[in-house]
Amino acid sequence: MTNQRAEAFATLEGRLGYTFKNRRLLERALTHSSVAEGVQQPSKRIGDNERLEFLGDRVLGLLVADRLTSDFPEADEGQLSARLHALVDKNACARVGERLGVGQALRLSPGESKSGGRRKAGVIADAVEAILAAVYRDGGLDGARAMFDKAWAEEFASPPAPALTNPKSALQEWAQSRGRPLPTYQVVDRKGSDHAPTFVVEVTVVGCDPVRQSGRSRQEAEKAAAVALLKQEGVI
């Protein structure tokens, strides 16, 4: 580890507000898959952060859902889903990573580093999820929650985008602004019992791939589908 990266590593650990018992977990979380390129022998392969990223994505979803249901007891599932999507997506994770200084602490191949890997939003976002998983592995859910509360504080403090407050209206306005017909919603499936059904709704806008989402009511499923289509088209 170079002196510059070692300093960035130590700075990152300080900003996380968490001291690792096993610092190799943090090193693994910061190791991009490009580092293993060209290594053929299994015994010499370098562990990257992809498995930790997979776990971190699930830990993040749980922590955000838990926080939202606590902070907004009157919100329905559609509203909660819309806000959750905004807090767990790659853009949010990349912003968190920028504030933490993740880029300078990353372990990249020379080629990835030269191509600007330390500034790539996707690379940084993936590392943030991996770091959250590393904290979870090292300090359990309480440790992960403490890091999450600190790292995502600014994201929670930012007001939600109007599209997340009323996604169906936002999608309608977006479609009309492009001269397209109004979005159409269709229930394509209904699962579960009569007292606890789950609706699957497909939303269609001319010129876009249809999107399906589920909810405990038709309205909630429609809101979730509208958010998903807006995200698919890069509107939010």
Side-chain angles (χ1 to χ4, degrees):
M1 189 184 297
T2 65
N3 289 338
Q4 184 177 9
R5 186 169 168 264
E7 288 181 15
F9 187 97
T11 299
L12 171 62
E13 192 172 20
R15 288 175 178 169
L16 291 174
Y18 180 82
T19 301
F20 278 84
K21 296 183 285 291
N22 180 3
R23 298 184 86 209
R24 286 178 296 180
L25 280 167
L26 180 56
E27 177 69 10
R28 179 73 171 265
L30 293 168
T31 301
H32 188 255
S33 59
S34 63
V35 175
E37 290 175 359
V39 179
Q40 301 298 327
Q41 297 181 27
S43 61
K44 294 184 178 180
R45 284 179 187 164
I46 300 168
D48 59 45
N49 64 6
E50 290 184 351
R51 286 173 60 86
L52 283 174
E53 175 205 341
F54 171 82
L55 174 61
D57 178 65
R58 276 70 185 172
V59 175
L60 177 59
L62 171 61
L63 291 173
V64 172
D66 185 50
R67 174 77 176 272
L68 288 175
T69 54
S70 176
D71 287 359
F72 304 101
E74 303 302 320
D76 63 32
E77 186 178 353
Q79 292 169 323
L80 292 172
S81 295
R83 190 77 170 107
L84 183 144
H85 285 308
L87 289 163
V88 303
D89 74 5
K90 294 298 183 183
N91 293 324
C93 290
R95 290 192 297 268
V96 169
E98 289 288 348
R99 289 192 288 268
L100 291 172
V102 167
Q104 293 307 308
L106 288 170
R107 185 184 183 192
L108 306 171
S109 70
E112 182 65 30
S113 184
K114 288 178 182 178
S115 69
R118 298 186 189 282
R119 298 185 300 276
K120 291 179 181 177
V123 173
I124 293 173
D126 290 346
V128 166
E129 292 179 336
I131 291 167
L132 184 61
V135 175
Y136 171 73
R137 288 285 196 202
D138 195 68
L141 192 58
D142 287 342
R145 181 178 283 108
M147 177 224 152
F148 163 77
D149 285 342
K150 183 175 182 179
W152 263 262
E154 193 168 326
E155 295 298 315
F156 275 93
S158 302
L164 297 178
T165 305
N166 196 336
K168 291 180 66 178
S169 293
L171 181 59
Q172 177 177 317
E173 292 171 6
W174 177 78
Q176 289 181 312
S177 71
R178 282 156 179 75
R180 300 176 186 179
L182 295 177
T184 59
Y185 298 86
Q186 180 182 4
V187 176
V188 295
D189 196 8
R190 186 180 185 278
K191 307 173 183 177
S193 61
D194 290 339
H195 68 276
T198 296
F199 292 84
V200 179
V201 167
E202 181 177 271
V203 60
T204 303
V205 172
V206 173
C208 305
D209 292 332
V211 172
R212 293 184 180 186
Q213 290 290 314
S214 61
R216 298 199 177 187
S217 69
R218 176 171 181 163
Q219 182 70 4
E220 289 173 358
E222 288 179 353
K223 287 181 180 179
V227 169
L229 199 149
L230 287 167
K231 289 175 69 66
Q232 172 184 279
E233 298 304 311
V235 181
I236 57 176

